[in-house]
Amino acid sequence: MEITIWADFVCPFCYIGQTHLERAMANFAHADEITIEHKSFELMPGAKYDPSKNFYEAFADLKGTTVEQAVQMNEQVIQMATATGLNFNFSDMKMADTMPAHRVFQYAKTQGRDGEYFKAFYTAYFEDGALISDEDTIISLSKLVGLDGDKVREILASEDQFQAEATADIFRAGEVGVQGVPFFVFNNKYAVQGAQPVEVFQQVLDRVYAEEQEA
């Protein structure tokens, strides 16, 4: 079984949704037959880190809302994350341009480290308050998952290495109708959008596997 996931490192529902999928897979007898491919997606193109603003202020500016509305919107996200067992720390979170990290992610895919890479960046962004657009941060996290730090530095310095691959993922998302992330596609046939409950993922896994056996 093949699962394709479009996601972005700064997408809270991507982190929550992937956690739900992993829990469903933990209860799935044929999890060892599943291959997962991650694909790049930009949730907030043009987002930049401004050290003079906290996350809520930056989020409000980006979305055209008030700070109070930004706090209220994200409070619901925090509650959802907590129910999943994740510790989201919006007080220390930093708005970031994710394209540099996505270019390095494309390199991580060539090394078979894409899954570990995404998890490392989710944790760094949502729980540790790391600035994931910072070169040293990207290099440090990349080395943490087994990537060559010198190669990562070279990619970041080039501004175009692996850009085509990241752009192709985003373009492909438009072709298949992705309007928001996370977006999961099972065997290029069944699509699941959003941070669906564990039970939903379990049902899809069972259905897709049953169809494979019938075929």
mmCIF file of all heavy atoms in Angstrom, residues 16-28 81-86 198 201-202 205:
data_model
loop_
_atom_site.group_PDB
_atom_site.id
_atom_site.type_symbol
_atom_site.label_atom_id
_atom_site.label_comp_id
_atom_site.label_asym_id
_atom_site.label_seq_id
_atom_site.Cartn_x
_atom_site.Cartn_y
_atom_site.Cartn_z
ATOM 1 N N ILE A 16 -0.792 16.896 13.593
ATOM 2 C CA ILE A 16 -1.831 16.126 14.279
ATOM 3 C C ILE A 16 -2.315 14.975 13.397
ATOM 4 O O ILE A 16 -2.448 13.835 13.860
ATOM 5 C CB ILE A 16 -3.009 17.046 14.654
ATOM 6 C CG1 ILE A 16 -2.563 18.093 15.690
ATOM 7 C CG2 ILE A 16 -4.178 16.229 15.205
ATOM 8 C CD1 ILE A 16 -3.582 19.199 15.934
ATOM 9 N N GLY A 17 -2.566 15.258 12.128
ATOM 10 C CA GLY A 17 -3.066 14.238 11.211
ATOM 11 C C GLY A 17 -2.095 13.095 11.031
ATOM 12 O O GLY A 17 -2.494 11.919 11.007
ATOM 13 N N GLN A 18 -0.806 13.427 10.905
ATOM 14 C CA GLN A 18 0.181 12.358 10.742
ATOM 15 C C GLN A 18 0.262 11.506 12.006
ATOM 16 O O GLN A 18 0.436 10.287 11.927
ATOM 17 C CB GLN A 18 1.557 12.932 10.408
ATOM 18 C CG GLN A 18 2.637 11.864 10.357
ATOM 19 C CD GLN A 18 3.590 12.030 9.202
ATOM 20 O OE1 GLN A 18 3.404 12.859 8.314
ATOM 21 N NE2 GLN A 18 4.638 11.235 9.216
ATOM 22 N N THR A 19 0.137 12.151 13.156
ATOM 23 C CA THR A 19 0.143 11.400 14.416
ATOM 24 C C THR A 19 -1.034 10.430 14.464
ATOM 25 O O THR A 19 -0.893 9.276 14.890
ATOM 26 C CB THR A 19 0.078 12.365 15.608
ATOM 27 O OG1 THR A 19 1.200 13.258 15.566
ATOM 28 C CG2 THR A 19 0.119 11.608 16.933
ATOM 29 N N HIS A 20 -2.201 10.889 14.000
ATOM 30 C CA HIS A 20 -3.375 10.012 13.966
ATOM 31 C C HIS A 20 -3.157 8.845 12.999
ATOM 32 O O HIS A 20 -3.520 7.702 13.311
ATOM 33 C CB HIS A 20 -4.607 10.808 13.532
ATOM 34 C CG HIS A 20 -5.105 11.749 14.579
ATOM 35 N ND1 HIS A 20 -6.136 12.637 14.359
ATOM 36 C CD2 HIS A 20 -4.710 11.947 15.865
ATOM 37 C CE1 HIS A 20 -6.355 13.336 15.461
ATOM 38 N NE2 HIS A 20 -5.503 12.938 16.382
ATOM 39 N N LEU A 21 -2.574 9.135 11.832
ATOM 40 C CA LEU A 21 -2.295 8.067 10.872
ATOM 41 C C LEU A 21 -1.351 7.036 11.469
ATOM 42 O O LEU A 21 -1.561 5.821 11.330
ATOM 43 C CB LEU A 21 -1.688 8.655 9.592
ATOM 44 C CG LEU A 21 -1.158 7.631 8.572
ATOM 45 C CD1 LEU A 21 -2.283 6.744 8.053
ATOM 46 C CD2 LEU A 21 -0.453 8.343 7.414
ATOM 47 N N GLU A 22 -0.305 7.494 12.140
ATOM 48 C CA GLU A 22 0.672 6.577 12.729
ATOM 49 C C GLU A 22 0.031 5.690 13.793
ATOM 50 O O GLU A 22 0.373 4.511 13.924
ATOM 51 C CB GLU A 22 1.845 7.367 13.302
ATOM 52 C CG GLU A 22 2.715 8.009 12.227
ATOM 53 C CD GLU A 22 3.752 8.958 12.790
ATOM 54 O OE1 GLU A 22 3.693 9.230 14.023
ATOM 55 O OE2 GLU A 22 4.600 9.433 12.021
ATOM 56 N N ARG A 23 -0.912 6.251 14.537
ATOM 57 C CA ARG A 23 -1.593 5.447 15.557
ATOM 58 C C ARG A 23 -2.508 4.419 14.915
ATOM 59 O O ARG A 23 -2.644 3.299 15.423
ATOM 60 C CB ARG A 23 -2.369 6.373 16.500
ATOM 61 C CG ARG A 23 -1.430 7.182 17.375
ATOM 62 C CD ARG A 23 -2.133 8.078 18.349
ATOM 63 N NE ARG A 23 -1.152 8.836 19.131
ATOM 64 C CZ ARG A 23 -1.452 9.830 19.944
ATOM 65 N NH1 ARG A 23 -2.703 10.199 20.093
ATOM 66 N NH2 ARG A 23 -0.498 10.461 20.601
ATOM 67 N N ALA A 24 -3.123 4.798 13.808
ATOM 68 C CA ALA A 24 -3.947 3.836 13.082
ATOM 69 C C ALA A 24 -3.078 2.715 12.525
ATOM 70 O O ALA A 24 -3.454 1.539 12.573
ATOM 71 C CB ALA A 24 -4.689 4.553 11.953
ATOM 72 N N MET A 25 -1.908 3.065 12.012
ATOM 73 C CA MET A 25 -1.000 2.067 11.467
ATOM 74 C C MET A 25 -0.479 1.132 12.554
ATOM 75 O O MET A 25 -0.222 -0.050 12.298
ATOM 76 C CB MET A 25 0.170 2.757 10.753
ATOM 77 C CG MET A 25 -0.219 3.427 9.446
ATOM 78 S SD MET A 25 1.130 4.415 8.727
ATOM 79 C CE MET A 25 2.426 3.161 8.576
ATOM 80 N N ALA A 26 -0.340 1.655 13.776
ATOM 81 C CA ALA A 26 0.145 0.824 14.888
ATOM 82 C C ALA A 26 -0.835 -0.305 15.196
ATOM 83 O O ALA A 26 -0.447 -1.349 15.731
ATOM 84 C CB ALA A 26 0.369 1.684 16.120
ATOM 85 N N ASN A 27 -2.114 -0.090 14.848
ATOM 86 C CA ASN A 27 -3.136 -1.114 15.085
ATOM 87 C C ASN A 27 -3.504 -1.872 13.814
ATOM 88 O O ASN A 27 -4.476 -2.630 13.805
ATOM 89 C CB ASN A 27 -4.402 -0.454 15.664
ATOM 90 C CG ASN A 27 -4.165 0.172 17.025
ATOM 91 O OD1 ASN A 27 -3.463 -0.411 17.852
ATOM 92 N ND2 ASN A 27 -4.732 1.339 17.260
ATOM 93 N N PHE A 28 -2.722 -1.652 12.761
ATOM 94 C CA PHE A 28 -3.001 -2.270 11.465
ATOM 95 C C PHE A 28 -2.028 -3.430 11.249
ATOM 96 O O PHE A 28 -0.811 -3.251 11.258
ATOM 97 C CB PHE A 28 -2.854 -1.228 10.362
ATOM 98 C CG PHE A 28 -3.183 -1.721 8.983
ATOM 99 C CD1 PHE A 28 -4.449 -2.198 8.676
ATOM 100 C CD2 PHE A 28 -2.225 -1.694 7.970
ATOM 101 C CE1 PHE A 28 -4.761 -2.651 7.400
ATOM 102 C CE2 PHE A 28 -2.523 -2.134 6.691
ATOM 103 C CZ PHE A 28 -3.791 -2.618 6.402
ATOM 104 N N ALA A 81 -4.431 19.537 19.706
ATOM 105 C CA ALA A 81 -3.110 18.926 19.834
ATOM 106 C C ALA A 81 -2.952 18.234 21.180
ATOM 107 O O ALA A 81 -2.429 17.116 21.268
ATOM 108 C CB ALA A 81 -2.029 19.993 19.658
ATOM 109 N N THR A 82 -3.414 18.889 22.238
ATOM 110 C CA THR A 82 -3.308 18.315 23.579
ATOM 111 C C THR A 82 -4.066 17.000 23.668
ATOM 112 O O THR A 82 -3.586 16.033 24.277
ATOM 113 C CB THR A 82 -3.859 19.305 24.628
ATOM 114 O OG1 THR A 82 -3.100 20.524 24.570
ATOM 115 C CG2 THR A 82 -3.753 18.723 26.031
ATOM 116 N N ALA A 83 -5.239 16.949 23.037
ATOM 117 C CA ALA A 83 -6.034 15.715 23.038
ATOM 118 C C ALA A 83 -5.308 14.595 22.310
ATOM 119 O O ALA A 83 -5.528 13.412 22.585
ATOM 120 C CB ALA A 83 -7.389 15.972 22.388
ATOM 121 N N THR A 84 -4.410 14.973 21.384
ATOM 122 C CA THR A 84 -3.633 13.990 20.627
ATOM 123 C C THR A 84 -2.355 13.603 21.359
ATOM 124 O O THR A 84 -1.660 12.677 20.955
ATOM 125 C CB THR A 84 -3.292 14.567 19.231
ATOM 126 O OG1 THR A 84 -4.505 14.979 18.592
ATOM 127 C CG2 THR A 84 -2.602 13.549 18.345
ATOM 128 N N GLY A 85 -2.039 14.349 22.429
ATOM 129 C CA GLY A 85 -0.822 14.072 23.184
ATOM 130 C C GLY A 85 0.362 14.890 22.736
ATOM 131 O O GLY A 85 1.510 14.590 23.096
ATOM 132 N N LEU A 86 0.103 15.955 21.949
ATOM 133 C CA LEU A 86 1.168 16.831 21.473
ATOM 134 C C LEU A 86 1.178 18.119 22.284
ATOM 135 O O LEU A 86 0.120 18.617 22.687
ATOM 136 C CB LEU A 86 0.966 17.148 19.985
ATOM 137 C CG LEU A 86 0.942 15.937 19.048
ATOM 138 C CD1 LEU A 86 0.600 16.378 17.627
ATOM 139 C CD2 LEU A 86 2.284 15.205 19.071
ATOM 140 N N VAL A 198 -8.323 8.997 14.363
ATOM 141 C CA VAL A 198 -7.625 7.723 14.160
ATOM 142 C C VAL A 198 -8.547 6.700 13.520
ATOM 143 O O VAL A 198 -8.151 5.952 12.622
ATOM 144 C CB VAL A 198 -7.089 7.190 15.506
ATOM 145 C CG1 VAL A 198 -6.481 5.798 15.325
ATOM 146 C CG2 VAL A 198 -6.066 8.146 16.099
ATOM 147 N N PHE A 201 -8.773 6.883 9.717
ATOM 148 C CA PHE A 201 -7.604 6.300 9.055
ATOM 149 C C PHE A 201 -7.641 4.771 9.134
ATOM 150 O O PHE A 201 -7.260 4.083 8.180
ATOM 151 C CB PHE A 201 -6.319 6.830 9.671
ATOM 152 C CG PHE A 201 -5.997 8.252 9.270
ATOM 153 C CD1 PHE A 201 -6.024 9.273 10.203
ATOM 154 C CD2 PHE A 201 -5.669 8.567 7.956
ATOM 155 C CE1 PHE A 201 -5.728 10.579 9.842
ATOM 156 C CE2 PHE A 201 -5.379 9.869 7.577
ATOM 157 C CZ PHE A 201 -5.409 10.877 8.521
ATOM 158 N N GLN A 202 -8.100 4.232 10.254
ATOM 159 C CA GLN A 202 -8.192 2.777 10.385
ATOM 160 C C GLN A 202 -9.155 2.206 9.349
ATOM 161 O O GLN A 202 -8.883 1.181 8.722
ATOM 162 C CB GLN A 202 -8.651 2.416 11.806
ATOM 163 C CG GLN A 202 -7.589 2.656 12.864
ATOM 164 C CD GLN A 202 -8.094 2.400 14.276
ATOM 165 O OE1 GLN A 202 -9.278 2.567 14.563
ATOM 166 N NE2 GLN A 202 -7.199 2.005 15.157
ATOM 167 N N LEU A 205 -7.508 2.333 5.860
ATOM 168 C CA LEU A 205 -6.480 1.302 5.741
ATOM 169 C C LEU A 205 -7.113 -0.065 5.498
ATOM 170 O O LEU A 205 -6.673 -0.822 4.621
ATOM 171 C CB LEU A 205 -5.625 1.263 7.017
ATOM 172 C CG LEU A 205 -4.676 2.438 7.246
ATOM 173 C CD1 LEU A 205 -4.064 2.359 8.649
ATOM 174 C CD2 LEU A 205 -3.575 2.474 6.197
#
